Amino acid sequence: MSQDTSSAVEAIADRDPGEDDDPYDEIEVASLPDWWTDAVQEFEAYNLRAYRPPRFADGTLKRAVVKKLETKLGVSIRFVGRDVSYRDDWEVQIDGEKMTDIGRHRSPDGYTVFEIEADEFVDKVTEALEE
């Protein structure tokens, strides 16, 4: 299940948007992939904290792994959390069918971290499709 980040949450909970470090301070946002640039701009438009893309436990960007699998295997992979509360697991769906539950937490840096390493996730998806 999810790790305890309550001290980190307490440390930043009362900050106004934009008070945290800007992860894009030293890079050209336009040099990022389109999906990332779009998310950064949307977050800025709503005066939210900087966009930080979800990752797997080993730090690998979730989107890159999922897109590669979808293309290679010809499937749709979605991470779904319906009627969930903080610390509840989400589910991973392949073509709309539940494959497995997946733990997640918010890192102190503001990333959603799915509690599985990228290689293990790839193996689980591949095995699920072989069944």
Side-chain angles (χ1 to χ4, degrees), residues 43-55:
F43 274 57
E44 287 175 353
Y46 288 99
N47 201 28
L48 299 172
R49 291 187 176 122
Y51 173 71
R52 291 167 170 90
R55 300 165 186 266

Side-chain angles (χ1 to χ4, degrees), residues 38-104:
D38 292 345
V40 168
Q41 292 170 346
E42 184 173 353
F43 274 57
E44 287 175 353
Y46 288 99
N47 201 28
L48 299 172
R49 291 187 176 122
Y51 173 71
R52 291 167 170 90
R55 300 165 186 266
F56 288 104
D58 59 6
T60 304
L61 293 176
K62 177 188 122 301
R63 183 175 173 100
V65 173
V66 169
K67 283 297 178 193
K68 185 175 180 179
L69 280 170
E70 288 178 327
T71 300
K72 179 181 176 183
L73 302 173
V75 297
S76 171
I77 301 170
R78 298 289 174 257
F79 289 61
V80 180
R82 291 194 178 109
D83 296 321
V84 294
S85 297
Y86 181 65
R87 297 182 189 249
D88 287 350
D89 288 349
W90 282 17
E91 66 180 45
V92 176
Q93 296 178 353
I94 299 176
D95 291 336
E97 298 293 322
K98 180 179 177 180
M99 179 191 83
T100 190
D101 288 324
I102 189 165
R104 66 180 185 17

Side-chain angles (χ1 to χ4, degrees), residues 8-23:
V9 170
E10 288 176 19
I12 64 173
D14 293 326
R15 288 185 185 173
D16 289 326
E19 278 190 56
D20 5 30
D21 295 335
D22 182 359

